[in-house]
Amino acid sequence: MWFLVMLWASCLLMGTHAQSSASFRRANAGSGRCQYTFTVDSPTEASCPSAVSSPEIEALKSRLGLLEALVARLIGGEAMSKSTQGSGSQSGLQDSYKQVMGENAQLQREKQRLDRQVQNLQQRMEELRQEAESLRSRPCMQQPPPRVPQTDNSFRPESDPAWHYENPGYQELTAVVTEVSAPNLEGPADISGCGDLVWVQEPEVHRKADGIAGKYGVWMQDPEAKEPYAPEMVWRIDAVGSEVRQLFGYENMDQLSQGFPTKVLLLPESMESTGATMYRGSLYYQRRLSRTLLRYDLLSESIAARRDLPHAGFHGQFPYSWGGYTDIDLTIDENGLWAIYSTNKAKGAIMISQLDPDNLEVKGTWETKIRKSSVANAFMICGKMYTVASYTSPNTTINYMYDTATSQGKTISVPFKNRYRYNSMVDYNPAQRKLYAWDNFYMVSYNVRLGKQE
Ligand code: CA
């Protein structure tokens, strides 16, 4: 036994001397056991075979190559992106521009289509208006206006239900509407000199006021103009508002139509009503909030005369049916200057006074039997006062005439048109032989014809 051990030890020692690179190592193998490892050089192998097989290396190389290619592509893509960014933005802008231009063209086409529609509608409206005018102008089966006595003495206002006096309101009132059959379009023949009003032509438009201040007003020409103004001069006052003081002058009708005043005067005292008038180089008007009449001299541009109109109502006490403050209506005819108004004593009936145009003294007064608030407006022709029945009805009448020469009145029926349905002023110009009116922003005139006195 000992021999065997010694032999193994001898061999081991001999082996150790013979192979110096051999080694012996002991390690804990776990689970309470020891692991003994002998390492010796191999005479046939220079080294141990690699634990990693060659195909695995090739696979790793391949994967690495792929990763490098991917990184290169990413870096290259970013660079390319940077290089192509400018051209891309430009392309986008061009696309947007094309799109906007396309939409713009479409909108233009839409606008043109709508414009055509508007034109068609306007044309249709005009056709309808003409059709309506044509229908109105046809004679219709209508009761003739009631016959009334020819003289004022036998005219009994008590029988007229519209006559009974009521305190007139301060608001605009509804007018009496009188529809009548159409006139003869040719109209009766005109005479020269004075006569009765027998025919009023269709209104002629001269100008439409631009602003709200021109819804109503007064416009006129001086029938006996004085220097420095020619007879063609046209005067205009927009009457909306509490401080009515501006008087616009236009060289002629064309300048009025074009809206170019050549003169603007500021009245020293503000005006009331639409009853102002122009005569012999002076503007006559009612001073605001008073029964004071003023004569404003155009040459000196100052007040030349002032006088109260005795007992005259003012500021909405006795207006026309149109309302407002149309209490005192000054008007001109072949015989001079007149005032149309009312008093408490007359209980709202129309009073007529002829005035001295120089100092405004009352030269004569007449009391009619027609209630002022029952008519839309009034004017004088040849010493006779005429009233307009309605300010809103497109087809109304001159319905009453009072002759100051005979102190007698009578109802009449001369057709009269309120084309724009809000006629706030009507007055006569004896030189032009026309009525001047202000109908809902429109400055219009009417040719008239006078006939022989009945
Ligand atoms: Ca008048």
Side-chain angles (χ1 to χ4, degrees):
M1 179 66 185
W2 283 103
F3 173 78
L4 287 175
V5 172
M6 289 299 291
L7 178 65
W8 177 76
S10 300
C11 288
L12 186 59
L13 287 170
M14 285 172 69
T16 300
H17 286 287
Q19 297 179 16
S20 59
S21 61
S23 62
F24 169 76
R25 188 160 59 97
R26 187 181 64 178
N28 191 352
S31 65
R33 296 187 176 179
C34 290
Q35 184 176 14
Y36 294 92
T37 306
F38 287 93
T39 303
V40 295
D41 290 339
S42 168
T44 58
E45 292 179 321
S47 64
C48 288
S50 172
V52 182
S53 65
S54 184
E56 285 173 338
I57 289 176
E58 289 306 317
L60 277 173
K61 282 181 180 175
S62 173
R63 289 179 64 192
L64 189 58
L66 285 172
L67 281 170
E68 284 174 344
L70 185 59
V71 169
R73 193 185 302 165
L74 284 172
I75 293 171
E78 188 177 343
M80 188 180 294
S81 169
K82 281 179 181 171
S83 67
T84 57
Q85 196 168 19
S87 62
S89 301
Q90 196 173 355
S91 168
L93 277 175
Q94 283 175 347
D95 290 341
S96 300
Y97 178 73
K98 281 179 188 170
Q99 186 180 350
V100 167
M101 291 306 290
E103 287 173 358
N104 184 41
Q106 191 175 348
L107 285 173
Q108 288 292 336
R109 285 194 294 276
E110 184 68 7
K111 180 177 179 295
Q112 286 168 1
R113 188 182 66 78
L114 289 172
D115 284 346
R116 282 195 298 275
Q117 276 188 0
V118 167
Q119 281 175 359
N120 290 340
L121 285 172
Q122 283 173 340
Q123 189 178 350
R124 182 67 186 141
M125 278 181 67
E126 179 60 22
E127 286 170 0
L128 287 172
R129 194 189 66 74
Q130 287 175 1
E131 196 176 338
E133 290 286 331
S134 164
L135 286 172
R136 285 198 196 99
S137 66
R138 286 182 197 164
C140 52
M141 298 303 291
Q142 184 174 334
Q143 291 292 325
R147 291 283 301 167
V148 295
Q150 296 293 307
T151 65
D152 196 54
N153 291 336
S154 55
F155 177 62
R156 299 179 187 282
E158 292 79 9
S159 63
D160 180 357
W163 166 253
H164 295 293
Y165 175 72
E166 293 170 9
N167 210 6
Y170 283 65
Q171 305 298 315
E172 293 175 11
L173 307 175
T174 303
V176 177
V177 176
T178 308
E179 295 282 353
V180 296
S181 56
N184 179 353
L185 289 178
E186 293 299 320
D190 194 15
I191 62 166
S192 58
C194 266
D196 287 351
L197 175 66
V198 290
W199 196 66
V200 180
Q201 208 174 21
E202 295 271 333
E204 178 188 356
V205 175
H206 298 277
R207 172 77 186 164
K208 184 184 181 187
D210 341 76
I212 187 66
K215 182 168 176 63
Y216 50 88
V218 54
W219 76 290
M220 57 231 150
Q221 285 184 296
D222 190 338
E224 295 184 27
K226 274 188 169 181
E227 292 289 338
Y229 300 107
E232 293 77 27
M233 194 80 179
V234 183
W235 299 93
R236 162 189 175 179
I237 300 166
D238 293 357
V240 177
S242 57
E243 279 294 313
V244 179
R245 291 177 60 192
Q246 282 186 321
L247 174 63
F248 295 95
Y250 302 83
E251 219 163 77
N252 50 45
M253 284 287 189
D254 284 342
Q255 293 297 305
L256 172 75
S257 299
Q258 292 171 36
F260 301 132
T262 51
K263 189 78 182 175
V264 181
L265 294 169
L266 192 65
L267 302 173
E269 297 175 49
S270 59
M271 172 186 298
E272 192 161 279
S273 176
T274 55
T277 194
M278 192 76 78
Y279 187 54
R280 294 180 179 171
S282 287
L283 173 75
Y284 296 86
Y285 70 97
Q286 176 203 342
R287 183 174 172 269
R288 183 168 177 262
L289 287 169
S290 76
R291 59 174 62 92
T292 305
L293 304 182
L294 300 175
R295 176 163 83 84
Y296 175 78
D297 181 51
L298 294 173
L299 180 61
S300 63
E301 299 183 3
S302 62
I303 300 293
R306 71 170 62 229
R307 190 178 297 272
D308 279 7
L309 183 60
H311 312 295
F314 60 91
H315 204 63
Q317 198 175 357
F318 299 116
Y320 290 126
S321 62
W322 173 70
Y325 301 133
T326 51
D327 299 76
I328 299 176
D329 192 2
L330 297 167
T331 186
I332 301 293
D333 74 353
E334 290 79 356
N335 298 346
L337 176 64
W338 303 84
I340 301 169
Y341 61 102
S342 188
T343 64
N344 280 326
K345 190 178 173 207
K347 297 181 178 176
I350 287 181
M351 303 285 290
I352 304 168
S353 287
Q354 190 168 20
L355 306 176
D356 184 318
D358 187 46
N359 59 23
L360 297 168
E361 268 185 348
V362 173
K363 292 160 70 177
T365 295
W366 293 260
E367 182 175 339
T368 73
K369 292 184 176 176
I370 184 165
R371 189 159 58 102
K372 189 159 180 282
S373 63
S374 74
V375 297
N377 217 299
F379 52 88
M380 300 289 295
I381 299 179
C382 296
K384 293 171 180 170
M385 184 202 70
Y386 295 88
T387 62
V388 182
S390 164
Y391 68 93
T392 55
S393 174
N395 293 291
T396 185
T397 56
I398 310 294
N399 64 343
Y400 183 81
M401 185 265 278
Y402 184 90
D403 188 351
T404 57
T406 61
S407 297
Q408 291 184 349
K410 62 178 182 181
T411 58
I412 58 173
S413 183
V414 177
F416 181 90
K417 290 189 183 301
N418 296 308
R419 181 179 292 169
Y420 302 102
R421 299 182 170 222
Y422 197 81
N423 210 335
S424 58
M425 163 241 156
V426 184
D427 264 332
Y428 176 63
N429 183 310
Q432 301 294 327
R433 218 171 165 92
K434 285 181 179 182
L435 295 176
Y436 287 48
W438 194 299
D439 189 0
N440 206 4
F441 295 101
Y442 287 92
M443 285 149 258
V444 299
S445 69
Y446 305 75
N447 285 321
V448 299
R449 290 182 191 170
L450 307 183
K452 292 193 187 301
Q453 297 182 14
E454 292 179 4

